[in-house]
Amino acid sequence: MNVARAHRPEPAELDAADRRIVNRLQEGLPLVPSPYAAVAAELSLSEGELLYRLERLLEAGVLSRFGPMYHAERLGGGLTLAALEVPEDDFERVAEKVNAFPEVAHNYRREHRLNMWFVLATETPQRIAEVIEAIEAATGLAVFNMPKQEEFHVRLHLPV
Amino acid sequence: MSVSTCPSEPAPAAGFVDGLDPLDRDIVLATQGGLPLVPDPWSAVGKPLGLAGNEVRARMQRMIDSGVIRRIAAVPNHYRLGYVANGMTVWDVDDAHVERLGREVAGIPGVSHCYRRPRHLPEWPYNLFAMLHGRSQGEVEQQAEALRERLGDACRDHRILYSSRILKKTGLRLARSSGRPR
């Protein structure tokens, strides 16, 4: 059995208007007085229909979020990518321990000797080291800390 | 991803940033769960804060200009859009060339995020990370091949680490109890 697959959301059925909305709103909402009306007009939809469909796309989990995307470090926070080598028979326990930290923003299983990869987002840069220490204490495993040293590109755009 | 991760400059020390005053911070807190889905979202955000919609909009524009907000946008769930193959590609690239090559491969189609990160020898020799997204692993492998060609002899080794389970995905959250006076 493929354990991985059981935890993956299935691809959604989207009609043409949904696709236009998903593509257009990944680009960004304009900062104008009636932004949804402006985007709706571009997409040949009414404002009400855009808002209704957007709400539905969020409820259905097609979009995981809609809103401002903040730059953690420019907000003064700390951010890092970290990995663990988790013994297979201990994976669920460790996942539960790691996920219990509110500073863990994302956590993914990946197929490698380092099989658990998570992003830590903290209120201050100093706090990263404390959380890593706490995760090591809670799991009994060494954390591989891989903070970014240079950013070359950040732009997720998935056309549908 | 809602954690749109960050640049190379060191973050400020005190959890507070030039130009981000307590009202900006309130706007951040009010919108980190999402922007209201109503015709005038700026007024909806401003009302509990005692701010007019125009003021919210002006402050958000300033935060965009200063890079605190990257943009206001929809964050898709990769899998739900059919992007079922999400590969974190990791590359062991000659340190002398990684900066130039990182910038070059960042523009290759399929790459959403591209960073230089530290090696952890001997377990982890990779210093360049590029996230790739495709509708199949074959598509991701083609994208990775394009990266490999561009990196050329400066690249000693690489791996594709597919995500096989989302264990948690909440995105960034600022704590409300951050000690800033409201």
Side-chain angles (χ1 to χ4, degrees):
Chain A
M1 189 187 93
N2 187 339
V3 176
R5 191 142 291 170
H7 295 265
R8 279 179 177 177
E10 289 297 311
E13 298 280 340
L14 302 176
D15 67 16
D18 286 338
R19 286 170 195 276
R20 293 207 303 277
I21 291 169
V22 168
N23 288 335
R24 175 62 187 83
L25 288 180
Q26 287 185 77
E27 296 291 337
L29 190 76
L31 263 158
V32 298
S34 299
Y36 297 111
V39 168
E42 278 179 43
L43 301 179
S44 307
L45 297 168
S46 71
E47 182 187 48
E49 180 162 23
L50 172 64
L51 287 169
Y52 169 75
R53 283 177 177 264
L54 190 49
E55 191 168 335
R56 221 192 38 190
L57 290 166
L58 284 160
E59 275 168 8
V62 172
L63 301 178
S64 47
R65 190 169 173 280
F66 179 76
M69 300 169 73
Y70 290 101
H71 192 308
E73 285 168 359
R74 290 198 189 149
L75 280 173
L79 196 73
T80 196
L81 175 70
L84 288 172
E85 179 178 355
V86 184
E88 281 306 327
D89 55 7
D90 210 16
F91 197 87
E92 298 307 322
R93 182 191 71 89
V94 171
E96 207 170 296
K97 294 272 188 203
V98 170
N99 289 350
F101 285 84
E103 293 88 354
V104 173
H106 299 173
N107 188 5
Y108 287 91
R109 180 184 168 104
R110 294 189 183 279
E111 299 311 314
H112 184 268
R113 197 155 70 94
L114 298 182
N115 53 1
M116 189 179 290
W117 289 79
F118 50 92
V119 169
L120 293 180
T122 58
E123 189 77 3
T124 63
Q126 295 82 353
R127 177 95 182 111
I128 291 283
E130 296 166 17
V131 175
I132 285 178
E133 210 170 289
I135 290 175
E136 290 185 329
T139 61
L141 299 170
V143 171
F144 291 78
N145 185 21
M146 303 189 197
K148 91 172 61 81
Q149 296 168 307
E150 183 134 17
E151 172 180 301
F152 300 112
H153 183 68
V154 175
R155 185 76 196 223
L156 176 64
H157 182 77
L158 305 175
V160 292
Chain B
M1 281 201 295
S2 49
V3 169
S4 333
T5 39
C6 321
S8 47
E9 78 267 29
F16 201 59
V17 184
D18 287 345
L20 194 68
D21 67 18
L23 282 175
D24 288 336
R25 197 188 160 79
D26 285 343
I27 292 172
V28 171
L29 288 169
T31 56
Q32 60 186 352
L35 194 71
L37 302 180
V38 296
D40 183 356
W42 322 119
S43 295
V45 169
K47 199 168 180 201
L49 305 176
L51 293 175
N54 283 345
E55 171 79 354
V56 170
R57 201 154 54 83
R59 285 175 174 274
M60 291 186 92
Q61 185 63 57
R62 281 204 294 276
M63 287 192 270
I64 286 176
D65 294 341
S66 66
V68 168
I69 298 177
R70 289 176 184 273
R71 59 191 200 284
I72 299 169
V75 180
N77 179 316
H78 310 172
Y79 296 102
R80 295 285 277 152
L81 292 189
Y83 286 80
V84 296
N86 298 288
M88 184 174 76
T89 63
V90 294
W91 310 80
D92 174 5
V93 178
D94 188 335
D95 288 329
H97 300 291
V98 67
E99 217 177 297
R100 172 179 59 84
L101 289 169
R103 270 193 289 277
E104 284 186 29
V105 302
I108 290 175
V111 176
S112 69
H113 300 70
C114 185
Y115 303 106
R116 182 182 183 181
R117 298 186 184 276
R119 298 184 172 91
H120 288 267
L121 297 171
E123 297 95 337
W124 187 259
Y126 309 103
N127 60 338
L128 183 68
F129 287 56
M131 288 298 312
L132 298 177
H133 307 281
R135 292 186 169 82
S136 66
Q137 293 198 354
E139 197 179 327
V140 168
E141 276 153 28
Q142 277 179 14
Q143 294 163 348
E145 182 58 25
L147 265 77
R148 202 196 58 76
E149 280 174 20
R150 185 70 66 90
L151 293 170
D153 293 339
C155 176
R156 287 176 285 262
D157 187 19
H158 82 282
R159 297 286 303 262
I160 305 178
L161 276 65
Y162 290 103
S163 64
S164 51
R165 259 178 84 182
I166 301 171
L167 302 168
K168 184 175 184 183
K169 186 166 182 172
T170 52
L172 277 180
R173 287 288 184 276
L174 271 188
R176 283 186 185 271
S177 57
S178 62
R180 297 301 312 172
R182 304 266 322 224

Short mmCIF file of all heavy atoms in Angstrom, two decimals, chain B residues 8 18 20 22-23 30 33 39 44 50 58-59 70 72-74 82 88 92 94 117 129 136 156 162 164 175 179 182:
data_model
loop_
_atom_site.label_atom_id
_atom_site.label_comp_id
_atom_site.label_asym_id
_atom_site.label_seq_id
_atom_site.Cartn_x
_atom_site.Cartn_y
_atom_site.Cartn_z
N SER B 8 18.47 37.25 1.45
CA SER B 8 19.73 36.92 2.09
C SER B 8 20.11 37.88 3.21
O SER B 8 20.91 37.53 4.06
CB SER B 8 20.83 36.92 1.03
OG SER B 8 20.70 38.07 0.24
N ASP B 18 11.93 48.66 10.44
CA ASP B 18 11.82 50.06 10.02
C ASP B 18 10.53 50.27 9.25
O ASP B 18 10.24 49.55 8.31
CB ASP B 18 12.97 50.43 9.09
CG ASP B 18 14.27 50.55 9.85
OD1 ASP B 18 14.22 50.62 11.09
OD2 ASP B 18 15.33 50.55 9.20
N LEU B 20 7.49 49.78 10.04
CA LEU B 20 6.33 48.96 10.39
C LEU B 20 5.90 49.35 11.80
O LEU B 20 6.48 48.94 12.78
CB LEU B 20 6.69 47.48 10.34
CG LEU B 20 5.54 46.48 10.34
CD1 LEU B 20 4.74 46.56 9.04
CD2 LEU B 20 6.06 45.06 10.52
N PRO B 22 2.88 50.05 14.97
CA PRO B 22 1.90 49.13 15.58
C PRO B 22 0.63 48.94 14.74
O PRO B 22 0.05 47.86 14.76
CB PRO B 22 1.60 49.80 16.93
CG PRO B 22 2.86 50.55 17.27
CD PRO B 22 3.37 51.06 15.93
N LEU B 23 0.21 49.98 14.01
CA LEU B 23 -1.00 49.81 13.20
C LEU B 23 -0.73 48.88 12.01
O LEU B 23 -1.57 48.06 11.64
CB LEU B 23 -1.51 51.17 12.70
CG LEU B 23 -2.28 51.99 13.73
CD1 LEU B 23 -2.62 53.37 13.17
CD2 LEU B 23 -3.57 51.27 14.14
N ALA B 30 -4.41 41.03 11.44
CA ALA B 30 -5.80 40.90 11.01
C ALA B 30 -5.93 40.18 9.68
O ALA B 30 -7.00 39.68 9.34
CB ALA B 30 -6.44 42.29 10.92
N GLY B 33 -4.69 35.40 8.40
CA GLY B 33 -5.58 34.27 8.09
C GLY B 33 -6.20 34.40 6.71
O GLY B 33 -6.78 33.44 6.19
N PRO B 39 -17.00 42.96 -0.78
CA PRO B 39 -16.65 43.94 -1.84
C PRO B 39 -15.60 44.96 -1.43
O PRO B 39 -14.77 45.35 -2.24
CB PRO B 39 -18.00 44.59 -2.15
CG PRO B 39 -18.99 43.50 -1.88
CD PRO B 39 -18.46 42.77 -0.68
N ALA B 44 -13.30 46.36 5.72
CA ALA B 44 -13.59 45.25 6.63
C ALA B 44 -12.40 44.98 7.54
O ALA B 44 -12.56 44.69 8.73
CB ALA B 44 -13.95 43.99 5.83
N GLY B 50 -10.28 50.58 13.88
CA GLY B 50 -10.54 52.01 13.88
C GLY B 50 -9.88 52.75 12.72
O GLY B 50 -9.57 53.93 12.82
N ALA B 58 -3.58 52.28 1.93
CA ALA B 58 -2.32 53.03 1.81
C ALA B 58 -1.20 52.33 2.59
O ALA B 58 -0.05 52.24 2.14
CB ALA B 58 -2.52 54.46 2.33
N ARG B 59 -1.55 51.84 3.77
CA ARG B 59 -0.53 51.14 4.57
C ARG B 59 -0.10 49.84 3.91
O ARG B 59 1.08 49.49 3.93
CB ARG B 59 -1.06 50.88 5.99
CG ARG B 59 -1.10 52.12 6.86
CD ARG B 59 -1.75 51.85 8.20
NE ARG B 59 -1.65 53.03 9.06
CZ ARG B 59 -0.60 53.29 9.85
NH1 ARG B 59 0.42 52.44 9.91
NH2 ARG B 59 -0.56 54.39 10.56
N ARG B 70 4.78 40.56 -0.09
CA ARG B 70 5.23 40.25 -1.46
C ARG B 70 4.13 40.57 -2.47
O ARG B 70 4.35 41.18 -3.48
CB ARG B 70 5.61 38.78 -1.57
CG ARG B 70 6.91 38.45 -0.83
CD ARG B 70 7.17 36.97 -0.89
NE ARG B 70 8.35 36.59 -0.11
CZ ARG B 70 9.59 36.60 -0.58
NH1 ARG B 70 9.83 36.98 -1.83
NH2 ARG B 70 10.60 36.23 0.19
N ILE B 72 -0.63 40.31 -2.73
CA ILE B 72 -1.88 39.81 -2.15
C ILE B 72 -2.43 38.83 -3.17
O ILE B 72 -2.78 39.23 -4.28
CB ILE B 72 -2.86 40.97 -1.90
CG1 ILE B 72 -2.23 41.96 -0.91
CG2 ILE B 72 -4.19 40.43 -1.36
CD1 ILE B 72 -3.00 43.26 -0.78
N ALA B 73 -2.45 37.55 -2.82
CA ALA B 73 -2.70 36.58 -3.87
C ALA B 73 -3.27 35.28 -3.32
O ALA B 73 -3.28 35.03 -2.12
CB ALA B 73 -1.39 36.29 -4.62
N ALA B 74 -3.73 34.47 -4.26
CA ALA B 74 -4.23 33.14 -3.94
C ALA B 74 -3.05 32.18 -3.85
O ALA B 74 -2.18 32.18 -4.71
CB ALA B 74 -5.19 32.67 -5.02
N GLY B 82 -3.76 19.48 -9.47
CA GLY B 82 -3.24 18.45 -10.36
C GLY B 82 -1.72 18.40 -10.41
O GLY B 82 -1.15 17.60 -11.15
N MET B 88 11.60 18.53 -4.45
CA MET B 88 12.64 19.43 -3.97
C MET B 88 13.93 18.90 -4.58
O MET B 88 14.39 17.82 -4.21
CB MET B 88 12.69 19.41 -2.44
CG MET B 88 13.69 20.39 -1.88
SD MET B 88 13.62 20.48 -0.06
CE MET B 88 14.47 18.97 0.37
N ASP B 92 24.67 19.68 -5.53
CA ASP B 92 25.98 19.94 -4.94
C ASP B 92 26.78 20.71 -5.98
O ASP B 92 27.29 20.15 -6.94
CB ASP B 92 26.64 18.59 -4.59
CG ASP B 92 28.07 18.75 -4.09
OD1 ASP B 92 28.53 19.90 -3.92
OD2 ASP B 92 28.72 17.71 -3.89
N ASP B 94 29.65 23.63 -7.05
CA ASP B 94 30.92 24.29 -6.71
C ASP B 94 30.65 25.68 -6.10
O ASP B 94 29.97 26.51 -6.71
CB ASP B 94 31.72 24.44 -8.02
CG ASP B 94 33.14 24.93 -7.77
OD1 ASP B 94 33.37 25.59 -6.73
OD2 ASP B 94 33.99 24.65 -8.62
N ARG B 117 21.73 27.07 0.39
CA ARG B 117 21.63 26.67 1.80
C ARG B 117 22.93 25.96 2.20
O ARG B 117 23.67 25.49 1.32
CB ARG B 117 20.44 25.71 2.02
CG ARG B 117 19.08 26.33 1.68
CD ARG B 117 17.95 25.39 2.06
NE ARG B 117 16.63 25.89 1.67
CZ ARG B 117 15.91 26.74 2.39
NH1 ARG B 117 16.37 27.20 3.52
NH2 ARG B 117 14.72 27.15 1.97
N PHE B 129 19.11 24.56 -3.65
CA PHE B 129 17.78 23.94 -3.59
C PHE B 129 16.87 24.61 -4.62
O PHE B 129 16.81 25.84 -4.67
CB PHE B 129 17.13 24.16 -2.21
CG PHE B 129 17.71 23.34 -1.09
CD1 PHE B 129 19.06 23.40 -0.78
CD2 PHE B 129 16.89 22.54 -0.31
CE1 PHE B 129 19.59 22.66 0.28
CE2 PHE B 129 17.40 21.80 0.75
CZ PHE B 129 18.74 21.85 1.04
N SER B 136 3.37 15.26 -13.28
CA SER B 136 3.85 13.88 -13.15
C SER B 136 5.31 13.95 -12.76
O SER B 136 5.96 14.99 -12.95
CB SER B 136 3.72 13.14 -14.48
OG SER B 136 4.60 13.73 -15.43
N ARG B 156 28.30 18.49 -8.97
CA ARG B 156 28.89 17.17 -8.76
C ARG B 156 27.83 16.09 -8.59
O ARG B 156 28.05 14.94 -8.94
CB ARG B 156 29.79 17.20 -7.52
CG ARG B 156 31.09 17.97 -7.76
CD ARG B 156 31.91 18.05 -6.49
NE ARG B 156 31.35 19.02 -5.57
CZ ARG B 156 31.81 20.28 -5.46
NH1 ARG B 156 32.84 20.69 -6.19
NH2 ARG B 156 31.25 21.13 -4.62
N TYR B 162 10.95 13.90 -3.57
CA TYR B 162 9.52 14.17 -3.74
C TYR B 162 8.85 14.23 -2.37
O TYR B 162 9.19 13.47 -1.47
CB TYR B 162 8.86 13.08 -4.57
CG TYR B 162 9.29 13.12 -6.01
CD1 TYR B 162 10.22 12.21 -6.51
CD2 TYR B 162 8.77 14.08 -6.88
CE1 TYR B 162 10.62 12.26 -7.84
CE2 TYR B 162 9.18 14.13 -8.20
CZ TYR B 162 10.09 13.22 -8.68
OH TYR B 162 10.49 13.28 -9.99
N SER B 164 5.92 13.18 -0.18
CA SER B 164 5.00 12.06 -0.28
C SER B 164 3.86 12.17 0.74
O SER B 164 2.92 11.41 0.69
CB SER B 164 5.74 10.73 -0.09
OG SER B 164 6.52 10.77 1.07
N ALA B 175 2.61 35.50 16.30
CA ALA B 175 1.93 35.34 17.58
C ALA B 175 1.34 36.68 17.99
O ALA B 175 1.93 37.73 17.78
CB ALA B 175 2.90 34.85 18.63
N GLY B 179 4.37 41.03 22.54
CA GLY B 179 4.92 42.06 23.41
C GLY B 179 4.86 43.45 22.81
O GLY B 179 5.30 44.40 23.44
N ARG B 182 -0.44 47.45 21.84
CA ARG B 182 -1.44 47.63 20.80
C ARG B 182 -1.90 49.07 20.76
O ARG B 182 -1.94 49.72 21.77
CB ARG B 182 -2.65 46.74 21.08
CG ARG B 182 -2.26 45.30 21.21
CD ARG B 182 -2.39 44.54 19.94
NE ARG B 182 -3.56 44.97 19.19
CZ ARG B 182 -4.39 44.14 18.60
NH1 ARG B 182 -4.21 42.87 18.70
NH2 ARG B 182 -5.39 44.57 17.88
#
